[in-house]
């Protein structure tokens, strides 16, 4: 019997992991440069959390969650997290963090799960990296999150990207816009797709980001013309900060984002290097979420990006794996224990090394040493074992010399022959 990974999941095998490491390291160092601190919420939460935060009418909550547990249970069922914002905000509120200081800037990187139809760039288990800046309504923070993501793309070597931004207004002005939009959509509703028809009643804004009906809905009134003066001023300030930072962007009235909790600024980074699933990162402001989740009434802004998609758009290969410092070789079987001891002691001294675990001939061991790219082979034969010494072979120069363990360690550390 043979096993396959579940549909929509993927393994990251050793030849691919250096690219992942490169992206993760680049992201971490950008987050830290911008003053963000790491948070690691659990992989699953009570299902109710996602209903309350992501929204009842959103695709990910309605159709895409992996839910388990006993529905009769008083605490309710659990769901694998389809995104990390709800867990992050819950953790912040539950931990009473906002009582300790006004603004928290948090970052995360980890798996998320959605029961979607798998295709290129769309998985059922994927990796999200993102930030939540909680406690400020300052438009500069909106801009900061976008500048931060553009820095991650730069550090990761992604060149072909586009940033589109929009404002969907606040709780005060959104009601008015909803009516304007409904009145404009009503006459054409019969010609729209089934999805749009359900969205009309439940979340009319989402008609704007329907790809199937994009042509028909192109001339609908844009949100930005119907937002209040405060929202307009906010958007202007975000744009000014982006221009100052020389981050290119385009205002796109079609960006509304799929989740319920957004207010004012919404944005999306996409890449022409990807296929149909071209979104690298989505973000925006959510000024009501923290309060809705039992916290204080504070503004917040954040983004979530898909690591797999960034990797698809990343140019070039990551640097090859760093070669080992040494490879231990036993000339004969009785010296294997001594070689193992030396290998362990050198590793404990901070050097990287390996040895043969297949009981192979000295010739075959030397071939492995070569293949490993190690700078030195550390050989022990009967003579060396008797004298408590070892032989160090420089794999590039082909020279060898007998040395004590301490001498070998110093040579290996200094990298000098
Ligand atoms: P969203 O909040 O749905 O916009 O997700 C944020 C980002 O996560 C997207 O821009 C994608 O890069 C990534 N993403 C979302 N869903 C998937 C998926 N099923 N597979 C891979 N990446 C995804």
């Amino acid at each position: 019997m043979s096993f396959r990974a579940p549909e929509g999941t993927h393994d990251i095998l050793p030849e691919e992991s250096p690219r992942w490491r490169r992206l993760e390291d680049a992201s971490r160092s950008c987050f830290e440069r911008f003053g963000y601190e790491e948070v690691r919420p659990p992989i699953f939460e009570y299902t109710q959390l996602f209903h309350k935060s992501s929204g009842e009418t959103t695709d990910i909550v309605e159709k895409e969650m992996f839910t388990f547990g006993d529905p009769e249970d008083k605490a309710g069922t659990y769901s694998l997290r389809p995104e990390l914002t709800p867990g992050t905000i819950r953790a912040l509120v539950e931990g009473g963090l906002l009582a300790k200081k006004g603004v928290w800037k948090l970052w995360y990187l980890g798996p998320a799960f959605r029961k979607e139809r798998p295709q290129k760039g769309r998985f059922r288990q994927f990796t999200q990296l993102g930030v939540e800046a909680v406690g400020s309504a300052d438009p500069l923070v909106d801009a900061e999150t976008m500048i931060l993501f553009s820095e991650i793309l730069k550090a990761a070597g992604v060149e072909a990207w586009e940033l589109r931004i929009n404002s969907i207004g606040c709780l005060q002005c959104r009601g008015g816009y909803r009516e304007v939009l409904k009145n404009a959509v009503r006459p054409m509703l019969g010609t729209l797709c089934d999805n749009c028809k359900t969205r009309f009643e439940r979340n009319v804004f989402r008609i704007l980001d329907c790809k199937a009906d994009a042509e028909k809905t192109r001339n609908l009134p844009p949100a930005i013309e119907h937002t209040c003066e405060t929202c307009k001023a906010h958007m202007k300030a975000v744009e000014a900060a982006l221009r100052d930072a020389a981050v290119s962007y385009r205002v796109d009235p079609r960006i509304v984002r799929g989740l319920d909790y957004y207010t004012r600024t919404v944005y999306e980074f996409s890449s022409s290097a990807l296929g149909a699933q071209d979104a690298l990162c989505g973000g925006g402001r959510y000024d009501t979420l923290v309060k809705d989740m039992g916290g204080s009434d504070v503004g917040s802004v954040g983004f979530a990006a898909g690591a797999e998609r960034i990797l698809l758009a990343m140019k070039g290969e990551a640097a090859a794996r760093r070669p080992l410092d040494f490879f231990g070789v036993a000339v004969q079987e009785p010296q294997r224990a001594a070689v193992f001891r030396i290998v362990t002691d050198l590793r404990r001294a901070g050097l990287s090394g390996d040895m043969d675990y297949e009981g192979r001939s000295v010739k075959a061991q030397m071939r492995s040493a070569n293949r490993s790219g190690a700078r030195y082979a550390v050989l022990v034969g009967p003579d060396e074992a008797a004298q408590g010494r070892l032989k160090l072979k420089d794999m590039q120069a082909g020279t060898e010399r007998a040395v004590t363990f301490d001498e070998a360690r110093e040579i290996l550390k200094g990298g000098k022959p």
Side-chain angles (χ1 to χ4, degrees):
M1 186 168 179
S2 66
F3 293 99
R4 297 173 66 89
E7 200 188 351
T9 67
H10 58 97
D11 299 308
I12 300 163
L13 297 172
E15 59 179 28
E16 231 191 306
S17 46
R19 274 166 63 78
W20 274 87
R21 283 262 284 276
R22 184 175 149 203
L23 173 60
E24 288 163 1
D25 291 348
S27 306
R28 274 191 201 107
S29 96
C30 289
F31 292 142
E32 277 159 20
R33 254 194 298 137
F34 280 67
Y36 286 72
E37 298 174 275
E38 187 180 10
V39 59
R40 300 187 190 200
I43 304 269
F44 64 93
E45 301 266 0
Y46 287 117
T47 306
Q48 216 31 50
L49 175 79
F50 302 114
H51 282 261
K52 178 87 185 138
S53 54
S54 313
E56 306 276 356
T57 64
T58 54
D59 285 353
I60 64 171
V61 166
E62 250 180 336
K63 309 184 221 154
E64 296 170 0
M65 289 210 293
F66 287 98
T67 296
F68 56 98
D70 180 1
E72 301 300 315
D73 199 321
K74 222 168 78 214
T77 56
Y78 306 98
S79 291
L80 295 181
R81 60 190 189 194
E83 53 156 346
L84 276 77
T85 298
T88 302
I89 303 300
R90 184 213 32 78
L92 182 107
V93 172
E94 189 176 340
L97 265 59
L98 283 165
K100 295 181 186 148
K101 66 173 179 177
V103 175
W104 284 88
K105 302 205 304 181
L106 305 171
W107 69 268
Y108 58 76
L109 194 161
F113 306 84
R114 296 185 192 176
K115 212 186 292 165
E116 300 196 83
R117 195 172 47 78
Q119 63 181 88
K120 187 180 171 207
R122 190 158 80 182
F123 303 95
R124 290 184 163 181
Q125 175 175 336
F126 58 102
T127 310
Q128 281 200 331
L129 51 101
V131 298
E132 318 290 354
V134 180
S136 168
D138 189 343
L140 290 180
V141 193
D142 306 33
E144 177 182 274
T145 60
M146 293 181 237
I147 299 167
L148 166 50
F149 189 66
S150 75
E151 287 294 307
I152 290 178
L153 292 178
K154 189 159 67 174
V158 176
E159 285 161 12
W161 57 263
E162 191 193 16
L163 166 63
R164 285 167 300 146
I165 72 171
N166 190 22
S167 172
I168 54 166
C170 62
L171 288 187
Q172 277 72 43
C173 57
R174 195 141 19 125
Y177 175 57
R178 185 181 290 116
E179 284 318 303
V180 170
L181 196 59
K182 278 194 152 177
N183 289 337
V185 171
R186 203 168 281 116
M188 64 169 77
L189 194 58
T191 70
L192 302 183
C193 71
D194 288 348
N195 239 342
C196 283
K197 284 186 184 123
T198 17
R199 283 171 175 172
F200 181 73
E201 286 306 332
R202 305 186 68 179
N203 188 349
V204 68
F205 306 116
R206 300 237 25 228
I207 290 184
L208 290 170
D209 73 357
C210 171
K211 286 202 170 123
D213 287 328
E215 265 310 302
K216 292 180 200 153
T217 58
R218 201 165 50 174
N219 295 320
L220 287 174
I224 207 149
E225 284 172 15
H226 295 269
T227 55
C228 61
E229 289 311 311
T230 325
C231 286
K232 284 198 175 84
H234 188 95
M235 178 73 165
K236 276 210 176 91
V238 173
E239 290 190 59
L242 288 175
R243 280 196 302 272
D244 261 2
V247 171
S248 54
Y249 69 93
R250 181 161 69 82
V251 176
D252 181 351
R254 306 201 71 89
I255 301 284
V256 292
R257 307 280 300 126
L259 305 168
D260 272 4
Y261 49 61
Y262 288 105
T263 52
R264 293 194 173 149
T265 317
V266 282
Y267 62 87
E268 212 166 272
F269 283 80
S270 54
S271 168
S272 57
L274 302 176
Q277 302 299 319
D278 65 351
L280 291 170
C281 165
R285 178 159 278 287
Y286 43 92
D287 285 341
T288 54
L289 182 65
V290 178
K291 184 157 175 260
D292 285 351
M293 292 183 55
S296 37
D297 190 4
V298 293
S300 309
V301 53
F303 70 71
E308 285 80 2
R309 301 222 186 135
I310 303 176
L311 282 155
L312 279 171
M314 251 163 82
K315 274 201 155 168
E317 294 302 307
R321 181 173 167 240
R322 213 172 77 86
L324 297 173
D325 294 319
F326 68 92
F327 196 93
V329 174
V331 175
Q332 292 163 357
E333 169 62 30
Q335 289 98 51
R336 288 192 81 228
V339 168
F340 184 62
R341 204 164 45 243
I342 290 166
V343 167
T344 302
D345 288 346
L346 288 173
R347 286 169 172 166
R348 283 181 171 151
L351 294 154
S352 64
D354 211 348
M355 64 179 279
D356 162 70
Y357 293 109
E358 294 171 89
R360 299 189 311 160
S361 70
V362 65
K363 228 168 133 187
Q365 290 177 65
M366 287 307 289
R367 271 203 303 276
S368 299
N370 240 325
R371 216 175 299 127
S372 74
R375 178 77 209 274
Y376 290 96
V378 171
L379 295 109
V380 182
D383 293 348
E384 289 81 25
Q387 296 161 14
R389 293 167 80 86
L390 52 90
K391 219 187 272 169
L392 208 52
K393 176 165 182 174
D394 182 325
M395 299 297 283
Q396 277 163 20
T399 52
E400 50 178 60
R401 56 199 275 207
V403 290
T404 64
F405 174 83
D406 289 344
E407 286 166 342
R409 188 187 57 219
E410 289 319 302
I411 293 169
L412 288 169
K413 278 194 155 173
K416 288 189 250 26

